[in-house]
């Protein structure tokens, strides 16, 4: 990580490397006001059938980001993406973050979330603001994500099984 202080940290890595856990642990360790969201798997009988979304606000707002049973023209693999529900939960949370001095934690800026043009517009506003941001971002090349990754105020951090534990302290120091 560079010596220059950057206010926006994007963590990236292949699926399953620990990005979500890393973000949650950093947020917990900082004990500072945080707004944003994280995603988690929905499982039935041991099989992944979808993804939930939950805000960091208290009390949290929760919903379904995508599910095999969601009927939607917007699909990623076998999952129908519930764009309306995602926007209803996430956009007010991120809008609130624009007008307050909080850490903005986003897990994740990925294929399903990027289907929402309103979410992409909100990200542009957040990245143009003075907000401190900790977010996980798509590992593979993607035009929108690549623009965020290449911003001069962004620190891009690759997460892997060897560094994911030490990154909790390192990122916490950068954001506090």
């Amino acid at each position: 990580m560079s010596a220059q202080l950057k206010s926006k940290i994007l963590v990236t890595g292949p699926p399953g490397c620990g990005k979500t856990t890393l973000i949650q642990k950093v947020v917990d360790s900082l004990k500072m006001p945080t707004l944003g969201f994280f995603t988690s798997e929905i499982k039935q009988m041991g099989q992944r059938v979808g993804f939930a979304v939950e805000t960091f606000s208290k009390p949290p707002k929760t919903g379904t980001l995508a599910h095999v049973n969601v009927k939607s023209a917007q699909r990623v693999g076998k999952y129908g993406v519930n764009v309306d529900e995602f926007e209803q939960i996430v956009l007010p949370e991120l809008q609130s973050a624009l007008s307050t001095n909080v850490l903005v934690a986003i897990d994740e800026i990925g294929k399903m979330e990027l289907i929402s043009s309103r979410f992409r517009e909100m990200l542009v506003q957040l990245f143009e603001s003075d907000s401190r941001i900790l977010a996980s971002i798509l590992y593979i090349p993607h035009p929108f994500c690549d623009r965020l990754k290449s911003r001069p105020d962004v620190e891009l951090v690759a997460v892997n099984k060897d560094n994911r534990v030490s990154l909790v302290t390192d990122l916490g120091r950068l954001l506090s």
Side-chain angles (χ1 to χ4, degrees):
M1 286 181 263
S2 70
Q4 180 186 1
L5 237 71
K6 298 189 179 184
S7 60
K8 285 125 176 84
I9 299 172
L10 294 176
V11 296
T12 192
C17 72
K19 297 179 298 287
T20 299
T21 303
L22 172 64
I23 287 176
Q24 289 174 326
K25 286 184 176 184
V26 170
V27 167
D28 289 345
S29 75
L30 290 174
K31 300 194 183 344
M32 67 173 47
T34 302
L35 293 174
F37 70 93
F38 62 95
T39 58
S40 58
E41 291 182 347
I42 300 170
K43 290 191 172 191
Q44 288 178 343
M45 297 173 39
Q47 298 293 317
R48 184 174 64 199
V49 294
F51 296 89
V53 60
E54 182 174 331
T55 63
F56 280 102
S57 59
K58 304 295 182 225
K61 295 172 191 70
T62 61
T64 301
L65 168 61
H67 199 278
V68 293
N69 294 333
V70 168
K71 305 292 183 228
S72 171
Q74 306 299 326
R75 302 195 70 77
V76 174
K78 63 183 177 181
Y79 305 103
V81 180
N82 196 341
V83 177
D84 290 340
E85 189 167 331
F86 172 72
E87 290 178 345
Q88 288 169 9
I89 291 168
V90 167
L91 294 180
E93 178 96 353
L94 297 178
Q95 184 65 47
S96 294
L98 275 173
S99 58
T100 55
N101 185 24
V102 298
L103 172 64
V104 181
I106 300 172
D107 173 57
E108 73 181 286
I109 303 170
K111 288 180 185 178
M112 292 179 186
E113 297 83 359
L114 290 170
I115 289 172
S116 167
S117 61
R118 292 177 60 207
F119 175 64
R120 291 192 311 271
E121 290 166 10
M122 179 59 67
L123 286 174
V124 170
Q125 289 179 50
L126 283 166
F127 274 80
E128 290 296 322
S129 76
D130 292 332
S131 297
R132 286 177 294 165
I133 299 172
L134 172 62
S136 63
I137 193 162
L138 199 59
Y139 182 63
I140 60 174
H142 181 282
F144 182 86
C145 294
D146 294 346
R147 284 192 297 277
L148 293 180
K149 291 176 188 177
S150 67
R151 291 177 53 95
D153 58 346
V154 164
E155 181 76 38
L156 185 62
V157 178
V159 180
N160 58 57
K161 63 181 171 77
D162 296 326
N163 70 357
R164 62 185 175 198
V165 173
S166 64
L167 281 175
V168 174
T169 304
D170 295 344
L171 297 181
R173 233 186 333 264
L174 284 175
L175 291 165
S176 58

